[in-house]
């Protein structure tokens, strides 16, 4: 799928995150997922003889590895920043424990990449089917609903994602955030 389609399905999942995690955490999760949404397709810039498109970067192994590395990379500087803030009296105590930060980022990155793989399985795939079980199996699921460059599908996915995300934000603002301010 093209950029619009991937952003669309990511926003659909992001809407679920806002509902499940609340507006602030859900929006942070969505922002991280949007940053990772197209990472698997960066394989197009690597020579086909080294890594084939929709091959290793569209697999469970790659997804879990990138989630592990990303979470491990962000957790230390995040915790270091918190400790600095405590030392300088900007906050009174560590707000989020490192294991929670790690689990959050690992989960969000993994969900983002799994969403990418699932979105690509909507397409016909042609010679470029996703390989979720790489390197164990070359099984390539493809639902064949459209081609990756189908403008209508990409536009529809993006429109659905934006609509769902905006509606969820408005819903949360109206039912969760506003009442706490207005004392309803
Ligand atoms: Zn892809």
């Amino acid at each position: 799928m093209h950029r619009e389609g991937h952003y669309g399905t990511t926003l659909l999942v992001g809407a679920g995150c806002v509902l499940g995690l609340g507006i602030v955490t859900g929006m942070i999760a969505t922002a991280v997922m949007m940053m990772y949404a197209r990472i698997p397709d960066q394989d197009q810039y690597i020579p086909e003889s080294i890594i084939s498109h929709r091959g290793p970067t569209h697999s469970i192994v790659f997804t879990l590895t990138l989630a592990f590395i990303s979470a491990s990379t962000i957790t230390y500087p995040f915790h270091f920043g918190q400790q600095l803030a405590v030392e300088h009296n900007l906050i009174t105590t560590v707000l989020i424990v490192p294991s929670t930060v790690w689990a959050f980022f690992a989960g969000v990155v993994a969900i983002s990449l799994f969403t990418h793989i699932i979105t690509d399985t909507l397409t016909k795939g042609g010679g470029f089917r996703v390989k979720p079980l790489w390197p164990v199996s070359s099984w390539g699921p493809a639902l064949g609903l459209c081609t990756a460059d189908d403008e209508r599908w990409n536009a529809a996915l993006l429109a659905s994602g934006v609509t769902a995300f905006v509606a969820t934000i408005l819903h949360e603002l109206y039912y969760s955030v506003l009442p706490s301010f207005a004392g309803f």
Side-chain angles (χ1 to χ4, degrees):
M1 202 62 80
H2 278 194
R3 184 174 54 191
E4 295 82 3
H6 283 300
Y7 286 154
T9 50
T10 303
L11 285 171
L12 280 173
V13 176
C17 289
V18 171
L19 278 179
L21 302 171
I23 199 160
V24 175
T25 313
M27 284 180 78
I28 294 171
T30 306
V32 173
M33 288 194 297
M34 291 295 268
M35 282 193 284
Y36 279 82
R38 298 192 60 242
I39 282 190
D41 284 345
Q42 305 314 306
D43 60 3
Q44 293 172 98
Y45 302 109
I46 302 170
E48 189 73 21
S49 55
I50 298 174
I51 286 183
S52 59
H53 179 44
R54 286 187 173 179
T57 61
H58 290 61
S59 68
I60 294 168
V61 169
F62 179 82
T63 297
L64 297 183
T65 305
L66 190 59
F68 183 89
I69 293 172
S70 300
S72 304
T73 306
I74 201 119
T75 301
Y76 177 68
F78 187 90
H79 188 60
F80 184 72
Q82 276 197 123
Q83 284 180 316
L84 265 185
V86 171
E87 281 171 25
H88 292 84
N89 296 319
L90 296 172
I91 52 177
T92 53
T93 180
V94 167
L95 298 174
I96 313 173
V97 293
S99 58
T100 304
V101 177
W102 193 93
F104 176 79
F105 272 94
V108 167
V109 170
I111 291 170
S112 176
L113 298 194
F114 279 132
T115 303
H116 182 110
I117 296 171
I118 291 167
T119 306
D120 277 347
T121 62
L122 298 176
T123 66
K124 294 187 170 117
F128 300 105
R129 292 185 173 200
V130 296
K131 304 278 187 303
L133 300 181
W134 177 92
V136 179
S137 159
S138 59
W139 175 61
L143 294 174
L145 300 176
C146 60
T147 57
D149 60 356
D150 188 308
E151 284 182 18
R152 270 187 281 184
W153 265 84
N154 277 287
L157 285 175
L158 182 61
S160 315
V162 170
T163 306
F165 191 73
V166 171
T168 310
I169 293 289
L170 292 176
H171 175 278
E172 284 298 297
L173 280 175
Y174 190 76
Y175 289 105
S176 300
V177 180
L178 261 188
S180 62
F181 278 111
F184 289 157

